Amino acid sequence: MSKQSNVIAPSILSADFARLGEEVKDVLSAGADWIHFDVMDNHFVPNLTVGPMVCESLRKNDINCPIDVHLMVEPVDDLIKMFADSGATSITFHPEASMDPEKSLELIENLGCKPGLVLNPDISLNVLKPFLKDLYMVLLMSVFPGFGGQKFIPEVIEKIRDLRNLIDESNNIIRLEVDGGVNSDNVSQISLAGADTFVAGSAIFNHKNYSHAVKTLRDNFS
Ligand code: DX5
Ligand code: ZN
């Protein structure tokens, strides 16, 4: 298994938006590696969150860690450009939200960001096959996107294992990220199945002590 270093990426969806800068600084000093930035448009998913101005504002407030932008919007290309200009590090999108996923991945790369695709729980891994050589990361959703605090769908464990094999067999270096319902009870199983990048919203931000929450996740990696 050619897993990369483990990364914990707290999702700002569960942060206190009135104090977002402080919240982000707090989780980073608590040991988080990246910030996961959920972008929802009330069209591709039912919820509505924040756009590139907020990403830019974090950058202007000395947030220098990788910002992992997860686009849950349709179409994707205009927002890809705006987020690249606003300081995104990686940008992932759902292939069904793009007219031409290959071109959208190329756009992300050409704008200097790291490209990735996101698969909802009911989307087959086969969708990824034509794009494997172009991907920095694959994000597997373990809930249906739209809201934080949902329950991890256990069937996704097998999909993580299958994706791990697909990545390893392809000989490409691709991060395997999991998003939705990740917590200290299931993180070891998720890690053992082959994930290396862990999004956690409520498991961190709903915890009183962020350092403890981050450490508990890290202690459970396989
Ligand atoms: C769901 C989002 C997730 C979510 C994770 O649509 O993409 O990033 O905020 O939150 P938890 O960890 O609470 O499921
Ligand atoms: Zn997300």
Side-chain angles (χ1 to χ4, degrees):
M1 192 188 285
S2 63
K3 272 213 290 184
Q4 296 176 72
S5 57
N6 288 314
V7 159
I8 297 180
S11 159
I12 58 164
L13 198 57
S14 297
D16 176 357
F17 272 86
R19 303 170 40 251
L20 186 61
E22 239 175 281
E23 287 270 74
V24 166
K25 284 178 186 165
D26 287 350
V27 281
L28 291 171
S29 35
D33 304 289
W34 298 0
I35 291 299
H36 183 78
F37 196 104
D38 284 308
V39 185
M40 305 187 185
D41 66 351
N42 180 232
H43 163 72
F44 185 73
V45 289
N47 206 352
L48 179 69
T49 59
V50 287
M53 279 169 53
V54 176
C55 183
E56 192 177 356
S57 170
L58 289 175
R59 287 297 188 216
K60 285 186 178 152
N61 281 278
D62 302 322
I63 303 299
N64 300 314
C65 71
I67 297 184
D68 173 33
V69 172
H70 172 195
L71 293 180
M72 287 160 275
V73 304
E74 185 182 6
V76 296
D77 290 354
D78 285 348
L79 279 165
I80 285 173
K81 288 178 206 140
M82 289 190 251
F83 271 102
D85 284 347
S86 305
T89 308
S90 49
I91 303 180
T92 58
F93 64 90
H94 295 248
E96 64 273 31
S98 170
M99 299 276 282
D100 186 338
E102 190 167 357
K103 280 218 173 95
S104 300
L105 290 168
E106 212 178 281
L107 179 64
I108 296 171
E109 181 92 47
N110 291 340
L111 290 167
C113 297
K114 297 170 175 173
L117 288 176
V118 193
L119 299 187
N120 274 350
D122 60 350
I123 304 272
S124 156
L125 293 179
N126 289 331
V127 170
L128 296 172
K129 289 188 177 158
F131 307 110
L132 283 175
K133 65 176 188 341
D134 306 316
L135 298 174
Y136 164 74
M137 181 153 75
V138 174
L139 170 50
L140 287 187
M141 291 307 303
S142 39
V143 298
F144 282 90
F147 300 93
Q150 302 183 71
K151 210 174 157 315
F152 183 89
I153 299 171
E155 288 74 20
V156 176
I157 290 291
E158 204 178 324
K159 196 174 181 186
I160 298 170
R161 259 186 231 121
D162 291 345
L163 177 56
R164 180 81 262 155
N165 290 333
L166 188 69
I167 291 174
D168 290 353
E169 282 162 15
S170 80
N171 282 321
N172 291 296
I173 299 167
I174 302 173
R175 282 201 166 273
L176 198 172
E177 184 175 40
V178 175
D179 182 8
V182 175
N183 59 38
S184 54
D185 294 331
N186 57 25
V187 73
S188 92
Q189 210 191 352
I190 296 167
S191 169
L192 199 62
D196 50 38
T197 309
F198 305 82
V199 176
S202 46
I204 294 177
F205 284 106
N206 290 2
H207 207 285
K208 275 195 209 113
N209 183 329
Y210 295 166
S211 301
H212 187 252
V214 171
K215 186 175 183 306
T216 311
L217 291 176
R218 222 183 273 289
D219 284 350
N220 280 293
F221 290 150
S222 65

